[in-house]
Amino acid sequence: MAKKKILIIDDEENLCKFVKINLELTGAFEVSMATNGIEGISVAQKTKPDLILLDILMPVMDGIEALKRLRKDKDTFRIPVLMLSAIGYEPFKIRAAELYAERYITKPIETSELKAKIEEVLKKEG
């Protein structure tokens, strides 16, 4: 079975590397990373991931703006997005839902739980 492509867009590089390694160790995922919204949109357009993990608070372009742009782009509007943020701020959750984010997950999260949520969304999409 082909590995599912996951894109992590998060400015916390160590977290990205940790999540990338742990997801790739499952053997089910191929993971790429971007450290801000602008870079993330570019990577998403080029690689067409099966799912995006998107942080909210980032420099250059925050996750809400990145999500807006992903949803307006013909190449990325159908890619499921899981918001992954240390901030459980209700207005962020509401705005993400309005922009059709699949889930809003508050960090920290166990790798097994994250993998289960990713698989749940991918199964629903596929």
Side-chain angles (χ1 to χ4, degrees):
M1 189 164 108
K3 292 181 181 183
K4 294 292 186 177
K5 294 188 291 185
I6 306 292
L7 170 59
I8 304 169
I9 307 173
D10 194 315
D11 63 317
E12 293 181 53
E13 206 166 327
N14 288 336
L15 174 78
C16 285
K17 289 177 183 175
F18 177 79
V19 172
K20 175 180 170 49
I21 289 166
N22 282 287
L23 288 176
E24 287 180 342
L25 282 173
T26 69
F29 306 108
E30 177 184 312
V31 182
S32 54
M33 303 181 317
T35 56
N36 66 63
I38 292 173
E39 180 188 2
I41 291 167
S42 176
V43 172
Q45 290 167 331
K46 288 176 190 153
T47 65
K48 310 287 189 295
D50 296 296
L51 183 135
I52 297 172
L53 296 173
L54 179 59
D55 187 22
I56 290 189
L57 297 178
M58 296 182 289
V60 185
M61 178 188 292
D62 67 44
I64 295 294
E65 183 60 31
L67 182 57
K68 275 192 230 174
R69 293 188 187 192
L70 288 165
R71 291 299 179 237
K72 288 181 181 176
D73 186 292
K74 66 177 177 51
D75 294 326
T76 60
F77 79 99
R78 291 187 185 270
I79 300 170
V81 175
L82 298 178
M83 302 305 290
L84 187 59
S85 181
I87 309 291
Y89 184 56
E90 200 62 30
F92 285 166
K93 292 179 181 182
I94 291 167
R95 189 66 185 126
E98 290 171 349
L99 293 167
Y100 304 104
E102 296 296 319
R103 300 272 190 292
Y104 190 105
I105 302 166
T106 305
K107 299 179 213 173
I109 185 170
E110 293 291 323
T111 303
S112 58
E113 184 181 349
L114 180 59
K115 180 181 180 285
K117 289 182 185 298
I118 289 169
E119 288 174 344
E120 178 183 315
V121 169
L122 290 174
K123 187 181 290 185
K124 185 175 91 171
E125 295 296 314

